[in-house]
């Protein structure tokens, strides 16, 4: 099953995806973060904004994945983890994070990303490191938004980041509960 | 071959970065060396038909040789070396310039690099220090 997801991801990347210049993307993201830092002046608020932006991206992204690949319903949370790492990250960032550190109840796992392209050229000022800025926090929002569209309520956060001096970047994904199909609250 | 000083000047010939590996009191000497080399750089750039970034030996003052390198954006890098009796190969100087160029690009591409004048960045500094350490053995 795992190998199948990997092949799906790689095939889709090769055939179904339009590519953009990596430097353009990296510099755009960098300017975005710097502008947010200037506007909010509080690194915790910047983290929250990045997460919110990522969430909005994630809810739309999931339809994009379904359109580009022929994936079926995941058999369980383990399968979901594999799809995120082998198909999702591959399709949009062309990186292959590994899934690790499963919790005993199978409701939490870590994504170890050791070659995040957003980190190229970036060096955090010491104050940002001190005050807890997670530079690529948008990725956490994307995962959270995408999973919510798949009826899973999750908590996603960075626990380690190479830009803060750790040896690798690690995102922790925690399943809080499955959401039942609900009719959205009407506006009247 | 000993590396004495690295200076980076922008297009308007104002200094952006100057690192002196000798005593701090020599700072003035290296500043003036960098400025006098500017004219030579302009001359070389005007007369050179090739698009080579490496400008070669600009001038020699006492036992110091000054080498120049210009980036595509017009930013100039000046290296002051002291060369013992044996000649230094221009390919090794060229290589040093290319390393500085790469480090400069990495620093400029950092999204958190606010002002473009007065550049200083931990990684850049460490690369420059490493370069000076490698080339500070007098052979």
């Amino acid at each position: 099953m795992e190998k199948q997801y990997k092949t799906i991801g790689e095939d889709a990347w090769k055939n179904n995806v339009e590519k953009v210049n990596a430097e353009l993307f990296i510099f755009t993201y960098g300017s975005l973060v710097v502008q947010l830092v200037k506007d909010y002046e509080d690194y915790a608020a910047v983290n929250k904004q990045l997460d919110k932006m990522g969430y909005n991206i994630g809810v739309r992204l999931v339809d994009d994945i379904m359109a580009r690949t022929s994936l079926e319903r995941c058999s369980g949370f383990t399968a979901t983890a594999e799809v995120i790492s082998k198909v999702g990250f591959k399709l949009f960032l062309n990186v292959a994070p590994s899934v690790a550190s499963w919790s005993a109840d199978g409701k939490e796992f870590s994504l170890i990303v050791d070659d995040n392209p957003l980190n190229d050229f970036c060096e955090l000022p010491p104050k940002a490191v001190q005050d807890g800025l997670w530079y690529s926090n948008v990725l956490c929002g994307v995962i959270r938004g995408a999973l919510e569209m798949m009826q899973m309520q999750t908590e996603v956060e960075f626990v380690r980041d190479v830009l803060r001096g750790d040896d690798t970047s690690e995102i922790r994904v925690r399943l809080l509960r499955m959401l039942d199909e609900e009719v959205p609250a009407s506006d009247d | 071959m000993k590396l004495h000083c690295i200076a980076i000047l922008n297009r308007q010939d104002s200094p952006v970065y100057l690192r002196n590996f000798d005593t701090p009191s020599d700072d003035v000497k290296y500043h003036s060396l960098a400025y006098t080399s500017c004219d030579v750089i302009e001359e070389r750039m005007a007369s050179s038909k090739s698009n080579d970034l490496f400008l070669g030996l600009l001038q020699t003052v006492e036992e110091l040789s000054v080498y120049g390198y210009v980036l595509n954006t017009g930013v100039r890098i000046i290296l002051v070396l002291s060369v013992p009796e044996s000649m230094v190969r221009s390919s090794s100087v060229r290589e040093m310039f290319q390393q500085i160029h790469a480090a400069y690009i990495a620093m400029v591409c950092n999204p958190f690099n606010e002002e473009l004048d007065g550049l200083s960045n931990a990684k850049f500094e460490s690369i420059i220090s490493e370069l000076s350490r490698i080339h500070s053995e007098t052979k």
Side-chain angles (χ1 to χ4, degrees):
Chain A
M1 182 90 313
E2 194 185 292
K3 203 150 179 221
Q4 193 191 347
Y5 286 135
K6 193 154 172 237
T7 348
I8 292 178
E10 279 167 13
D11 278 339
W13 165 256
K14 270 187 226 136
N15 306 325
N16 294 354
V17 173
E18 280 150 22
K19 319 255 184 326
V20 73
N21 180 303
E23 260 123 34
L24 174 64
F25 182 60
I26 294 167
F27 291 152
T28 306
Y29 185 70
S31 326
L32 177 77
V33 178
V34 169
Q35 195 56 48
L36 280 176
V37 166
K38 283 202 194 126
D39 288 345
Y40 284 96
E41 291 178 8
D42 166 30
Y43 291 107
V46 173
N47 283 341
K48 232 171 109 201
Q49 269 310 104
L50 286 173
D51 186 83
K52 249 201 239 175
M53 289 164 51
Y55 177 82
N56 290 328
I57 296 175
V59 305
R60 292 164 179 77
L61 217 56
V62 97
D63 289 319
D64 201 45
I65 290 195
M66 293 305 154
R68 291 183 200 279
T69 60
S70 54
L71 286 170
E72 296 158 349
R73 210 167 175 67
C74 285
S75 51
F77 201 49
T78 344
T80 310
E82 290 299 319
V83 169
I84 295 177
S85 67
K86 304 269 175 323
V87 183
F89 270 83
K90 178 74 184 168
L91 211 56
F92 296 110
L93 291 177
N94 196 23
V95 294
S98 47
V99 178
S101 309
W102 278 98
S103 67
D105 55 3
K107 290 211 172 136
E108 280 184 41
F109 65 92
S110 285
L111 282 166
I112 314 279
V113 195
D114 52 6
D115 53 353
N116 184 1
L118 296 174
N119 291 342
D120 282 352
F121 300 123
C122 178
E123 260 185 69
L124 293 184
K127 188 150 192 304
V129 176
Q130 230 178 357
D131 291 351
L133 176 70
W134 295 115
Y135 184 73
S136 306
N137 211 36
V138 77
L139 297 178
C140 296
V142 171
I143 296 174
R144 186 169 64 89
L147 288 178
E148 195 164 303
M149 281 295 113
M150 295 285 109
Q151 313 307 327
M152 287 173 260
Q153 189 174 28
T154 51
E155 222 170 53
V156 187
E157 55 184 9
F158 262 97
V159 289
R160 285 190 292 168
D161 194 3
V162 283
L163 293 177
R164 310 240 304 202
D166 302 315
D167 49 352
T168 184
S169 298
E170 184 180 335
I171 300 177
R172 192 89 188 136
V173 181
R174 196 170 304 123
L175 175 64
L176 297 174
R177 62 192 182 104
M178 302 292 287
L179 300 164
D180 294 322
E181 297 280 352
E182 281 167 9
V183 177
S186 63
D187 282 338
D188 44 58
Chain B
M1 172 176 66
K2 187 169 176 339
L3 178 62
H4 285 275
C5 164
I6 293 183
I8 303 186
L9 305 119
N10 68 11
R11 217 177 201 157
Q12 288 82 30
D13 287 334
S14 57
V16 156
Y17 177 82
L18 193 135
R19 179 89 177 271
N20 162 22
F21 299 109
D22 293 336
T23 59
S25 59
D26 288 336
D27 236 9
V28 177
K29 177 169 93 176
Y30 291 123
H31 262 106
S32 60
L33 256 184
Y35 286 130
T36 53
S37 315
C38 287
D39 284 335
V40 190
I41 290 181
E42 299 276 340
E43 214 182 274
R44 287 284 169 94
M45 279 173 56
S47 66
S48 125
K49 293 185 193 64
S50 73
N51 286 333
D52 197 8
L53 302 175
F54 180 55
L55 299 171
L57 181 61
L58 302 174
Q59 54 172 325
T60 42
V61 177
E62 297 155 13
E63 78 286 358
L64 301 170
S65 343
V66 183
Y67 289 86
Y69 186 92
V70 66
L71 306 186
N72 302 59
T73 48
V75 170
R76 302 109 202 274
I77 308 181
I78 293 176
L79 272 182
V80 180
L81 306 168
S82 68
V83 185
E85 307 81 41
S86 59
M87 289 282 287
V88 66
R89 292 187 8 251
S90 72
S91 59
S92 49
V93 184
R94 193 187 281 261
E95 204 183 285
M96 273 205 285
F97 271 123
Q98 277 166 349
Q99 287 174 327
I100 300 178
H101 190 176
Y104 179 81
I105 291 175
M107 176 169 59
V108 164
C109 289
N110 179 18
F112 287 97
N113 181 29
E114 308 272 25
E115 330 106 44
L116 288 178
D117 294 328
L119 296 165
S120 78
N121 185 298
K123 204 162 177 191
F124 185 70
E125 295 283 350
S126 68
I127 293 180
I128 301 290
S129 307
E130 183 65 23
L131 257 181
S132 81
R133 199 188 56 80
I134 294 174
H135 295 282
S136 65
E137 303 100 47
T138 36
K139 296 191 187 100

